[in-house]
Amino acid sequence: MKPYVIMALSLFTFLSCAFVSKPKEPMTYYAYGAGNGYALWAERYKAELKEDGTVKLTYGRTEDMSAEEYGDTLIVDASVMKHIEEIYLEHKMYKYKKHYKPLFDVTDGDGWGVSAEFGISRRERKFFSASGYEAWPKDDGIKIINSYIKSFFNTDSDNTDQE
């Protein structure tokens, strides 16, 4: 009986991801964070559409996980959010599994989470999120979006510490 239950749950998980519908409203928020408590590093990327139509970008990396605030912010035009949305949709990131985990126990690995919000009015808002611990989607949409956000910031190798 146990194998049938496992197969049914696996099929349900697959189908729940397979039939997630593509968001129709514009993207208003994207965030990605990763870190490792054992190695004491954290990194975050964020894009937020503001009421005035501009986009607030945030990028930061710290080697001090106790720091609540770290990173830099920039204000850019709405085309940046539109480009992030295009990448998100092209890679069907809204279909990512809710959680990724390794096949075996890892006690000092990296954890991550990504979230996105679509829609301006409360009634139309859709929220998508995925997270993982030492396992990631096979798709490279997260990496592409994060590289794009990071490209707006001066991240010389000599200047990697955030103040």
Side-chain angles (χ1 to χ4, degrees):
M1 181 69 169
K2 191 174 183 180
Y4 294 116
V5 171
I6 293 172
M7 285 179 13
L9 289 174
S10 297
L11 181 61
F12 176 74
T13 301
F14 170 75
L15 291 176
S16 67
C17 292
F19 295 112
V20 173
S21 62
K22 178 180 174 179
K24 293 175 178 48
E25 297 296 320
M27 179 182 267
T28 56
Y29 180 83
Y30 169 86
Y32 175 85
N36 184 313
Y38 182 74
L40 298 177
W41 68 269
E43 189 169 35
R44 71 168 153 212
Y45 302 80
K46 194 184 301 183
E48 301 172 84
L49 184 64
K50 306 311 265 176
E51 286 185 18
D52 65 1
T54 61
V55 176
K56 179 181 173 185
L57 291 182
T58 303
Y59 167 72
R61 182 175 172 94
T62 183
E63 303 299 326
D64 176 11
M65 287 195 69
S66 67
E68 290 183 27
E69 291 297 322
Y70 61 92
D72 295 321
T73 61
L74 293 173
I75 302 298
V76 295
D77 67 64
S79 66
V80 172
M81 184 62 86
K82 186 66 179 163
H83 187 65
I84 292 169
E85 176 184 345
E86 289 168 357
I87 297 167
Y88 190 93
L89 296 176
E90 177 184 336
H91 288 266
K92 298 180 181 166
M93 292 171 61
Y94 52 91
K95 289 189 175 190
Y96 283 2
K97 293 190 308 186
K98 293 290 179 202
H99 189 71
Y100 293 80
K101 60 184 180 177
L103 297 174
F104 50 89
D105 191 31
V106 178
T107 59
D108 63 353
D110 298 346
W112 63 273
V114 64
S115 58
E117 190 172 324
F118 290 80
I120 295 175
S121 74
R122 285 189 142 192
R123 205 180 56 195
E124 298 169 339
R125 261 186 220 148
K126 289 198 181 259
F127 186 77
F128 299 91
S129 66
S131 64
Y133 181 75
E134 271 307 301
W136 294 262
K138 291 181 175 138
D139 177 72
D140 61 353
I142 292 171
K143 183 179 179 182
I144 293 169
I145 290 174
N146 292 349
S147 292
Y148 178 65
I149 291 172
K150 191 174 179 180
S151 73
F152 288 87
F153 296 87
N154 180 7
T155 56
D156 295 339
S157 59
D158 296 336
N159 189 21
T160 55
D161 292 336
Q162 301 295 322
E163 295 181 24

